Amino acid sequence: MASRSAAARVLAHPGAFALRVLKGFRANQGLLLAGAVAYYALLSLVPLLILVMIVLSHAVDPERLLAVLRDYVAFVVPGGADALVDELRRFVEHRQVIGGVLLLTLVFFSALAFAVLENAMSVIFFHRVAIRRRHFLVSALIPYLFVVLLGIGFLAVTVVSGALETLGARSVQVLGRPRSLEGVSTTLLYLIGVAGEILMLTSVYLVMPVGRLSFRHALVGGVAAGLLWELTRHVLVWYYAKVSQVQVVYGSLTTAIVVLLSAEFAAIVLLLGAQVIAEYERVARQPIGAPPVPFRT
């Protein structure tokens, strides 16, 4: 009943709710939190992708994995996917020289971003942390669980994308004329990418906040963050292609700057989605125009 009341309030005053989310994000020092998440995400992204590639390359052709990875890394790092995949290709080609120490280092750094993200979520969902705290062992295991789930998800996406590319090579007869299915295949690949993005965000919102979060609330945040990121991603692609002079300014550091900037925007969108859920929970018991509680250390 409370959830229906919250939904009715939001639908009746969408502008006031959006303003409440932005005020809450500002009160929680959202940009500062996003900067920390983006920094550690930059440290974790390459080790995480290397681990996934090393494991899956034993079951799937590495070139096939890299081709799929190029398409889907562009969902997260628009403008930097090619450079990242080229670096991964060189690493995969020499994967047989990886020792135990390097492997443990990759595992450690691949989980850093999740640990920092959990801390950032605890600020946004402080009303939950104040009531209930999570055991430190659970917090330590969650990042590695996400690494495993991301590997399984990427394997599933690779299989599905291969089937869709096979479909795109075929044609059907329409009014006696052959019509290629390439456009259908491309559209389905894009929709699968967006759906996977929303599901991944929903899973983050389900697990990272302390306490039990309903799937409906997590899905609200996942859809909001997913749609906002799609808009942001297309703007970034246009900016890098048409306006940006980042290569002139930063030279050899261009790839790192582009990846970091993309990670910063992605972290802002991710935490904004969490703020949407937090405010959605508060709307059920507070007036929609209530001022946010400022963050205190």
Side-chain angles (χ1 to χ4, degrees):
M1 190 67 180
S3 180
R4 291 182 181 179
S5 176
R9 289 185 183 183
V10 172
L11 292 175
H13 307 283
F17 180 73
L19 184 61
R20 179 187 176 114
V21 169
L22 293 176
K23 286 182 176 179
F25 188 73
R26 182 174 180 272
N28 287 327
Q29 301 292 324
L31 292 179
L32 185 63
L33 295 176
V37 173
Y39 171 75
Y40 282 96
L42 184 62
L43 289 179
S44 297
L45 182 61
V46 173
L48 175 59
L49 294 177
I50 289 173
L51 281 177
V52 171
M53 289 296 301
I54 289 173
V55 174
L56 296 185
S57 62
H58 290 88
V60 184
D61 177 45
E63 287 301 319
R64 175 64 191 158
L65 289 172
L66 289 169
V68 175
L69 188 65
R70 187 187 302 274
D71 293 334
Y72 287 99
V73 166
F75 275 86
V76 183
V77 190
D82 290 341
L84 278 175
V85 171
D86 289 342
E87 290 297 326
L88 286 173
R89 175 178 282 108
R90 284 192 284 271
F91 204 99
V92 171
E93 288 173 354
H94 301 90
R95 62 185 181 275
Q96 67 276 2
V97 301
I98 297 177
V101 175
L102 179 55
L103 185 61
L104 289 176
T105 303
L106 291 174
V107 170
F108 173 75
F109 278 100
S110 66
L112 277 179
F114 294 103
V116 176
L117 178 59
E118 184 183 15
N119 290 331
M121 290 284 187
S122 69
V123 174
I124 294 175
F125 291 97
F126 183 75
H127 59 288
R128 287 174 167 270
V129 179
I131 298 171
R132 180 181 178 184
R133 294 186 180 275
R134 177 178 284 157
H135 197 280
F136 76 95
L137 288 178
V138 176
S139 297
L141 290 175
I142 283 177
Y144 300 104
L145 177 61
F146 265 106
V147 170
V148 173
L149 290 178
L150 283 174
I152 295 173
F154 182 61
L155 178 60
V157 165
T158 302
V159 174
V160 172
S161 65
L164 289 177
E165 286 186 4
T166 302
L167 176 66
R170 298 180 180 178
S171 61
V172 295
Q173 294 290 330
V174 178
L175 299 178
R177 293 184 178 181
R179 299 289 184 181
S180 173
L181 294 176
E182 183 178 357
V184 176
S185 174
T186 303
T187 302
L188 287 175
L189 279 173
Y190 175 75
L191 292 177
I192 289 173
V194 174
E197 180 182 307
I198 291 175
L199 287 176
M200 183 183 71
L201 289 168
T202 301
S203 68
V204 169
Y205 297 140
L206 269 175
V207 176
M208 286 299 178
V210 174
R212 185 176 180 181
L213 189 68
S214 71
F215 179 77
R216 180 185 299 178
H217 287 186
L219 186 60
V220 167
V223 171
L227 296 180
L228 180 58
W229 175 245
E230 278 305 292
L231 176 62
T232 304
R233 186 173 69 86
H234 283 89
V235 171
L236 286 175
V237 170
W238 170 82
Y239 173 76
Y240 291 141
K242 303 294 184 181
V243 179
S244 174
Q245 297 293 318
V246 64
Q247 189 167 3
V248 175
V249 176
Y250 291 100
S252 61
L253 296 175
T254 297
T255 300
I257 297 299
V258 167
V259 173
L260 182 58
L261 183 61
S262 299
E264 174 77 17
F265 278 105
I268 291 173
V269 170
L270 179 63
L271 295 181
L272 270 175
Q275 192 71 52
V276 167
I277 300 172
E279 299 304 330
Y280 190 79
E281 291 181 340
R282 293 190 182 100
V283 161
R285 58 183 185 274
Q286 294 179 0
I288 199 167
V293 179
F295 171 66
R296 292 186 177 91
T297 58

